[in-house]
Amino acid sequence: MVAMTPIRRLLIANRGEIAVRIARAARDLGIVPLGVYSDADREALHVTAMDEAVRIGPAEAAASYLDVDRILAAAHDLGADAVHPGYGFLSERAVFARAVRDAGLVFVGPTPEAIAAMGDKVEAKRRVRAHGVPVVPGYDGDDVALERLRAEAARIGTPVLIKASAGGGGRGMRVVENLAAFDEALEAAQREAKAAFGDDRVLLERYVARPRHIEFQILADAHGNTIHLGERECSIQRRHQKILEEAPSSALAPELRARMGEAAIRAARAVDYTNAGTVEFLLDQEGAFYFLEMNARLQVEHPVTEAVHGLDLVGWQLRIAAGERLTIVQPDVVARGWAIEARLNAEDPRREYLPSSGTISAWEAPDAPGIRVDAGIRTGSEISIYYDSMLAKIIAWGADRAGAVARLGNALDATRVEGVATNLPLLARIVREPDFQAGATTTAYLNEHAALLDPGGSGDSDAAFVLGIVATLGDARSWRIGGVGIPIVLCDRERTLSVLASRTGSDEAWALSGDLHGELTFERRAERAVALFNGARYAGSARSSETGVEVEAGGTRTQLTFAEPPRLGTTGSGHGPARRGKIVAPMPGKIAKVLVRTEQAVGERDLLLILEAMKMEHRIEAPLAGTVRKILVEPGALVAAGAELLEIE
């Protein structure tokens, strides 16, 4: 007999959009939401979403959001009777769940024993394999000596995947294509796993080429009832990080869905799982599926399941934790419509999507039928180097996949975020790419559509200029007479672009010739503009002045200046002064490792340093061959963006 334990005051041991989301669900059930914050989050949105909140330490996660004692002290000080860990941070730490339970509080999640079993990837594979769930061939033995791992990698064959045993979310993972690079990849995976999870053990798996990433949402109560709520497809990923997720998947016929759902339930029962969780699979090109891992927590992408099943998963987490029975049975679980989620991240497309930081100077979320936005930011929010780069999730629902895709595209166009660089342009391009619209997605999608990632190749290098032209043509002070052969010359720091613009029938339809050639249409509301040029869409803000146009698109601000029109067709090719030989930090972060020494000869693209920022490792490579003359940092040092790291001659 499971005792009922009413929850009245809930401590939400997390930050950002998920803390706001959990607070909303708590209030819907009459539960008081309580929060915590670090020094970096004192003015954060999630703090204002709580009835009460307390400081738990400095900005570094290890001394605040990852400090079990501080979290429990906050729960005590605020009079909480339950703790919800959200996702990330302590959500999959068995020691935390056990400490919450030992403190006499309700942990909103699975048992510590289930977390420990599924958090250890080796143990998880052994458990589910014993319950008839197919797993990816590989090596998960206890002997993790270098020589043994080398031998097992050779046996498995390339490509081979190194994966953190205690990991998740893409941390501590490396794909090895050539065994000559195995040692370096192993060291990097172990170092990243240690930093992220406090555990550097790894396992090896055969790397399945071009699979789909399919996961099943599980709900299980403490009375022995376990169901799945269908699948989500999360195949579009970069650096093993999901970018877009949808429910259901276009790849699953009813029979395959039933088999995978049954396997997901068996996996959950293998560890006596309770509460909400997700069982992840790889689905290969032949229709075979393999257990990947089980996330013993709420998932970032849970809103798409909520949208197609009409359920509040966080609400069910709280009800199950309080001892309630599930009132849903498996035959009642039927998806209605389609939902797609896009993760809006603080990433700089012009710097290989490195995380970006700064102050959100403007934030406008889309507001339309079928659109939901879960955000952890507002205008004025500070985006720091200490936490994950996700800013918000934009979710679109439609009666079918085409309707959901169309709504998501329109919602992304209506989204405005300024002050930090974001992946918003990438998201907008993906949803309009033909293979995505056809549902032809695998984990290799972005590798096979690399032009989408390349700002230059995808046309993003012209985005500021297109919006600058729109602002110029849309300025009521300009071009009052006529509308044929209007010269516009705009310059940024790197080039000059010259066009002639002519009206084609309306104030918003123009033909461009010169450095940009084609038809331009646009809609403009105050400083906000959405333009369509040669089939590509551009959205942002543009402010005209007597000297030029300031454009902000995708989180990147560009100052364009007017110039005297040169001969049509010429373009500037100058670049700013090169900092030849000076290696600088591409973003703020911590130096994880220095791999060279003074007076060492290096070749172009040789690895020099490892920079750790926003929970990920970033390789700093030599831009030229030469000799290391100065090393200005050491492991553990915190550096600002643009800080000099070393010099090469």
Side-chain angles (χ1 to χ4, degrees), residues 242-246 300 304 340-345 372 374 390 392-396 408 412 423-424 427-428 431:
K242 300 166 186 173
I243 299 176
L244 287 100
E245 304 100 346
E246 59 185 282
V300 174
V304 295
I340 307 177
E341 173 182 290
R343 300 190 188 191
L344 179 64
N345 296 331
R372 165 180 165 180
D374 285 9
M390 190 169 66
K393 304 180 303 196
I394 301 167
I395 305 101
L408 181 58
L412 293 171
N423 66 337
L424 184 59
L427 298 173
V431 299

Side-chain angles (χ1 to χ4, degrees), residues 556-579:
T556 300
R557 180 175 295 161
T558 304
Q559 183 63 55
L560 302 176
T561 57
F562 295 127
E564 291 297 323
R567 187 169 59 190
L568 194 63
T570 64
T571 59
S573 58
H575 295 271
R579 304 180 70 183

Side-chain angles (χ1 to χ4, degrees), residues 248-532:
S249 167
S250 58
L252 269 61
E255 184 273 336
L256 179 56
R257 177 175 294 114
R259 286 196 293 119
M260 293 183 73
E262 290 167 0
I265 290 175
R266 289 199 303 273
R269 287 176 173 162
V271 293
D272 297 323
Y273 197 87
T274 55
N275 214 271
T278 303
V279 181
E280 303 194 350
F281 298 99
L282 294 180
L283 177 67
D284 71 16
Q285 301 295 304
E286 287 72 44
F289 64 90
Y290 305 97
F291 173 82
L292 182 61
E293 63 183 358
M294 183 172 187
N295 290 298
R297 55 172 168 79
L298 191 69
Q299 290 281 90
V300 174
E301 56 271 21
H302 74 274
V304 295
T305 296
E306 294 183 325
V308 298
H309 289 290
L311 298 172
D312 182 340
L313 289 176
V314 179
W316 268 111
Q317 282 192 293
L318 294 168
R319 293 168 66 182
I320 290 170
E324 293 189 31
R325 289 179 178 270
L326 282 172
T327 58
I328 313 160
V329 293
Q330 196 64 58
D332 295 338
V333 177
V334 179
R336 292 172 176 83
W338 215 282
I340 307 177
E341 173 182 290
R343 300 190 188 191
L344 179 64
N345 296 331
E347 298 173 342
D348 192 343
R350 297 182 183 279
R351 301 170 77 182
E352 297 184 350
Y353 292 86
L354 289 172
S356 58
S357 58
T359 303
I360 301 293
S361 58
W363 164 245
E364 292 180 10
D367 183 12
I371 299 300
R372 165 180 165 180
V373 178
D374 285 9
I377 59 168
R378 57 187 170 188
T379 299
S381 290
E382 292 289 335
I383 310 305
S384 79
I385 66 170
Y386 296 102
Y387 313 121
D388 189 86
S389 63
M390 190 169 66
L391 305 176
K393 304 180 303 196
I394 301 167
I395 305 101
W397 179 90
D400 54 22
R401 190 174 188 276
V405 170
R407 276 181 168 169
L408 181 58
N410 292 332
L412 293 171
D413 285 346
T415 301
R416 179 187 179 196
V417 55
E418 299 178 3
V420 299
T422 75
N423 66 337
L424 184 59
L426 170 63
L427 298 173
R429 289 194 298 273
I430 290 174
V431 299
R432 291 186 170 87
E433 193 279 320
D435 284 342
F436 175 80
Q437 293 189 337
T441 57
T442 72
T443 57
Y445 176 86
L446 283 178
N447 289 335
E448 296 171 353
H449 298 78
L452 295 174
L453 288 164
D454 179 8
S458 62
D460 267 8
S461 61
D462 294 331
F465 286 102
V466 169
L467 293 173
I469 292 168
V470 167
T472 305
L473 295 174
D475 192 330
R477 299 171 297 178
S478 304
W479 326 122
R480 294 181 180 177
I481 301 174
V484 177
I486 297 169
I488 302 175
V489 184
L490 293 168
C491 309
D492 67 8
R493 292 181 177 181
E494 296 187 348
R495 64 172 175 153
T496 298
L497 183 141
S498 304
V499 298
L500 290 180
S502 301
R503 285 196 177 99
T504 63
S506 73
D507 289 346
E508 283 81 30
W510 297 78
L512 303 184
S513 60
D515 291 343
L516 295 180
H517 188 88
E519 182 175 283
L520 170 70
T521 60
F522 59 86
E523 295 180 2
R524 201 159 180 263
R525 186 181 65 190
E527 295 176 347
R528 186 70 177 163
V530 177
L532 182 66

